[in-house]
Amino acid sequence: MNNRTKGYLFGIFGAAAYGLNPLFTLPLYADSVNPLSALLFRYGLAAPLLALLMVARRMSFRIDRHELPALIVLGIMMALSSLTLFVSYTYMDAGIASTLLFVYPILTAVLMKVGYQERMNWKVAVSMLLALAGILLLYYQGKGLHLDATGVLLVFVSALTYAIYLIGVKHSCLVRMPTLKMNFYVLVVSTALFVVCLLFFGPLTLPQHGYLWMDALALALFPTCVSFLFTTLAVHRIGSTETSILGALEPLTAVVIGILVFHEAFTFRNACGIALILLSVCVVVWQGKRLQTPS
């Protein structure tokens, strides 16, 4: 098996792992764990796992003073993106919410045009129209919106803050920091933010059944650590553009999990909407945008 083939396989595994978010999140919700607590478990357990990986790779934990503000901003953006996505699961089907999140490449292209005067060609415009058509198919069923407006707004905020995060990674002083180290400190900052939020907006809710602690650990391990590891390996072998295209498999994983495990509704209209959204993402990344996958 050559190096590029391994890269494609790593990209598929990384995308599929991230798409498992609803599988491990929804059982915690059903056990009365609130979104803030679930995110604290996810980030708070994932950070030590990445720290162990850094130790195994003999990586330094040292950061320069000028890098700290950028890490704090990126940590806040990632925390807001995760929080709004997790809260959206309480308003709409998790598979559809995870799919709608993938308008983030479109938002990234717009922000790059506005903030960095990056050229926006016809392919970007077409991708925006495809995304809009797909979203309308998901929402509209002849008599009004199919999805809760609050849930839609939350997913939009999640996509927007993740787009800002991606731009910050590319256009900040952290561009030369090893990816593993950067993500470790982003997780640390996000964990600290969730702790503060729980202190003010709590309460901290714990799983009532012991076996769900394994679910919380799986949430930290698979959609966070494993996804990050395989995605990074894929980037090293096939580059960020092709890895991002494979990242479009993430919402498909979430949708399949939602249907098979949580018996969520899925119609032909939904399928057409999802196909258009994923096509819009492919149009963006194929025309050369260097977007990274969500960890």
Side-chain angles (χ1 to χ4, degrees):
M1 185 181 297
N2 61 43
N3 218 32
R4 287 191 65 82
T5 300
K6 291 180 180 178
Y8 286 119
L9 290 176
F10 289 150
I12 291 171
F13 291 150
Y18 189 83
L20 294 175
N21 257 317
L23 177 63
F24 302 118
T25 303
L26 297 184
L28 292 173
Y29 286 1
D31 202 45
S32 301
V33 175
N34 60 43
L36 270 176
S37 299
L39 284 167
L40 179 62
F41 300 148
R42 179 188 178 191
Y43 281 75
L45 294 174
L49 294 175
L50 288 187
L52 291 174
L53 187 57
M54 289 178 64
V55 171
R57 294 186 176 185
R58 299 182 179 179
M59 294 181 62
S60 171
F61 285 85
R62 182 182 178 277
I63 59 173
D64 295 332
R65 184 176 302 176
H66 73 278
E67 295 172 331
L68 184 58
L71 287 171
I72 292 175
V73 171
L74 291 186
I76 292 173
M77 290 297 101
M78 181 57 74
L80 287 176
S81 180
S82 296
L83 177 59
T84 49
L85 179 63
F86 272 45
V87 174
S88 75
Y89 291 164
T90 65
Y91 288 91
M92 68 176 75
D93 288 351
I96 302 302
S98 297
T99 301
L100 294 179
L101 178 66
F102 269 74
V103 300
Y104 80 84
I106 312 299
L107 295 175
T108 304
V110 172
L111 291 175
M112 288 296 296
K113 172 65 176 178
V114 173
Y116 296 93
Q117 289 73 52
E118 185 172 270
R119 181 172 174 266
M120 186 182 298
N121 58 33
W122 66 269
K123 293 181 181 180
V124 175
V126 168
S127 69
M128 292 179 184
L129 292 176
L130 288 171
L132 178 60
I135 291 171
L136 289 176
L137 282 175
L138 288 177
Y139 296 171
Y140 190 70
Q141 290 193 335
K143 296 182 179 180
L145 289 178
H146 174 52
L147 300 180
D148 184 273
T150 302
V152 174
L153 178 61
L154 287 168
V155 176
F156 176 80
V157 173
S158 180
L160 178 61
T161 49
Y162 188 71
I164 295 172
Y165 170 84
L166 286 180
I167 294 173
V169 170
K170 184 178 180 181
H171 295 277
S172 74
C173 61
L174 304 176
V175 66
R176 298 186 181 277
M177 179 179 288
T179 307
L180 182 58
K181 179 191 290 188
M182 186 200 74
N183 277 264
F184 165 72
Y185 281 108
V186 165
L187 289 176
V188 169
V189 172
S190 298
T191 300
L193 182 61
F194 292 135
V195 170
V196 172
C197 287
L198 282 167
L199 289 176
F200 285 94
F201 305 107
L204 174 66
T205 52
L206 303 178
Q208 300 300 307
H209 300 87
Y211 68 88
L212 284 177
W213 282 107
M214 295 301 297
D215 196 84
L217 180 60
L219 181 63
L221 180 60
F222 295 106
T224 310
C225 295
V226 171
S227 176
F228 169 78
L229 175 61
F230 279 114
T231 300
T232 302
L233 292 173
V235 170
H236 290 164
R237 286 163 173 78
I238 62 176
S240 59
T241 297
E242 292 180 88
T243 302
S244 297
I245 296 173
L246 295 176
L249 297 173
E250 295 172 13
L252 294 183
T253 303
V255 169
V256 171
I257 291 297
I259 295 170
L260 297 181
V261 179
F262 301 109
H263 309 292
E264 295 178 347
F266 187 74
T267 66
F268 178 73
R269 185 184 295 269
N270 293 149
C272 292
I274 290 170
L276 287 175
I277 290 174
L278 295 182
L279 179 59
S280 75
V281 174
C282 290
V283 170
V284 171
V285 293
W286 270 328
Q287 64 98 30
K289 299 294 180 183
R290 295 183 178 180
L291 298 177
Q292 297 181 19
T293 303
S295 53

